[in-house]
DNA sequence: TGAAAATGGGACATGAATGTGTCATTCTTC
DNA sequence: GAAGAATGACACATTCATGTCCCATTTTCA
């Protein structure tokens, strides 16, 4: 039981476990709690103290990742003057913290029915943003908006992969992704 | 024991199992053999007759998917006159049979050490193709070639997802992907 | 039609992951 | 330095996927 507010120690342990789980489950949903505990550098006992059941960790992770996503979203849109600028800033922001977020999209159907799942809302917001950019004339209207959102996410994923593999710094990978998006979805192009 | 050549019945059962496993494992590597048997509409007993151990199914699937990939590759490059045309034709071809192939790239590290793994060769070939297209002047040389290959695969993945969800016909999704690639990686663009 | 092939269904043992609990040890904090 | 918090290291039961049989039934093909 927590005394009053969780101590700094507990916060750090909790975060280590969440981050380890996010990174592991992004690649392999069947990663065992024992492996996650190892990655977090805690014992399996400790992991179970923080998250009594596997489902408790899943739920906490879901909430944490979506909170992070919305925080990034707010920051990125606040600093933007146009829809396409918002999209590009969001891409960069997500690429920065991809380790905590990617697992959300590795297989969304996995969380279907989970009352904590609300990332669809973010995707809906992104679709709205793309539609606004299409109305703007800054994004190709010939390509389906939902499809375009899929491209946005997958470009971010490629950037995150490239950064994680150590082949290039994260900011450079993000720049490539944004650049490809901007050019690839540009409306003015000879047939 | 097989009499002489596998009967047509066995071929169809075997294919149903391989396809079910490829589709299931592309999304969730922890899908049980029981679930795969259900998807393939065979009993778990039958599945075990064809693939005594889980590993046997993994190996067979690995070989089957890579054979498919190389077949597509050969056909696509044979019908192409330039590197970029080859790349685009391969994208379309892979999108067609994505269900059998995508699982290869869902987490390649999973197959590290497996003697049957050779998809890296295909990726290497793709890198060569991109480099040729860059030398051509048809693909942006400012973006890392390996990163570009990642984009190619992920665009195909997005197309396959869109088609699988039923939001659009497969050929249209593939067209979007190719279009995004062509424009997104185009070299001539104002800064 | 009859034999062989192929499949379905179930029983059973095994191993890995999970969940629970206890106790000793280490770390914080006053 | 002492009390409480936090952790690590086990032990144990339970559940589930896996692998191995066996036998009845259906399907295929000569």
């Amino acid at each position: 039981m927590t005394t009053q507010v969780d101590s700094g120690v507990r916060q750090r342990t909790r975060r280590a476990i969440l981050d380890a789980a996010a990174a592991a489950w992004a690649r392999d949903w069947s990663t065992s709690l024992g492996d996650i505990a190892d990655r977090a550098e805690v014992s399996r006992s400790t992991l179970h103290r923080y998250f009594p059941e596997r489902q408790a960790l899943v739920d906490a992770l879901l909430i944490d990742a979506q909170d992070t996503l919305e925080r990034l979203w707010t920051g990125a849109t606040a600093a933007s003057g146009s829809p396409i600028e918002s999209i590009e800033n969001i891409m960069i922001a997500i690429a920065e913290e991809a380790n905590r977020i990617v697992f959300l999209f590795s297989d969304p159907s996995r969380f279907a029915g989970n009352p904590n799942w609300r990332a669809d809302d973010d995707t809906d917001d992104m679709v709205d943003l793309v539609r606004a950019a299409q109305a703007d004339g800054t994004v190709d209207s010939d390509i389906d908006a939902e499809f375009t959102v899929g491209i946005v996410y997958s470009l971010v994923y490629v950037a995150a992969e490239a950064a994680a593999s150590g082949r290039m710094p994260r900011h450079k990978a993000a720049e490539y992704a944004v650049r490809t998006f901007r050019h690839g979805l540009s409306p003015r192009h000879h047939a």
Side-chain angles (χ1 to χ4, degrees), chain A:
Chain A
M1 186 61 60
T2 62
T3 46
Q4 33 182 4
V5 180
D6 277 353
S7 70
V9 179
R10 285 188 66 86
Q11 284 298 331
R12 271 179 288 123
T13 302
R14 180 184 151 91
R15 175 117 312 278
I17 295 173
L18 287 175
D19 286 347
W25 284 344
R27 290 196 159 279
D28 184 359
W29 179 243
S30 58
T31 304
S32 71
L33 298 180
D35 286 348
I36 290 174
D38 289 345
R39 285 167 177 261
E41 293 183 309
V42 298
S43 68
R44 197 165 68 89
S45 300
T46 297
L47 188 149
H48 270 99
R49 275 192 200 94
Y50 282 75
F51 307 99
E53 308 163 2
R54 183 188 173 101
Q55 190 59 43
L57 176 54
V58 172
D59 292 343
L61 195 56
L62 215 45
I63 292 172
D64 180 70
Q66 290 171 125
D67 286 348
T68 300
L69 190 55
E70 286 172 13
R71 177 172 55 77
L72 296 181
W73 183 281
T74 303
T77 51
S80 308
S82 66
I84 192 167
E85 203 176 333
S86 289
I87 296 172
E88 294 180 3
N89 283 337
I90 291 171
M91 288 179 70
I92 294 171
I94 294 182
E96 291 295 329
E97 303 218 49
N99 289 342
R100 288 185 186 167
I101 295 176
V102 165
F103 93 97
L104 283 175
F105 304 101
S106 60
D107 180 13
S109 70
R110 181 173 298 146
F111 306 116
N114 190 315
N116 297 306
W117 174 255
R118 58 180 197 274
D120 280 337
D121 300 343
D122 297 290
T123 298
D124 289 345
D125 290 344
M126 184 66 94
V127 172
D128 291 342
L129 219 45
V130 167
R131 291 226 171 84
Q134 287 176 332
D136 247 359
T138 47
V139 163
D140 191 347
S141 299
D142 290 344
I143 296 187
D144 183 77
E146 291 186 22
F147 191 90
T148 300
V149 171
I151 291 175
V152 167
Y153 285 143
S154 80
L155 286 175
V156 170
Y157 178 79
V158 174
E161 276 297 300
S165 74
R167 295 202 307 275
M168 64 184 71
R170 193 166 288 269
H171 69 88
K172 191 173 192 68
E175 180 199 321
Y176 283 165
V178 169
R179 177 192 177 121
T180 302
F181 167 75
R182 188 185 306 142
H183 293 175
L185 283 310
S186 168
R188 53 198 174 307
H189 255 289
H190 41 77

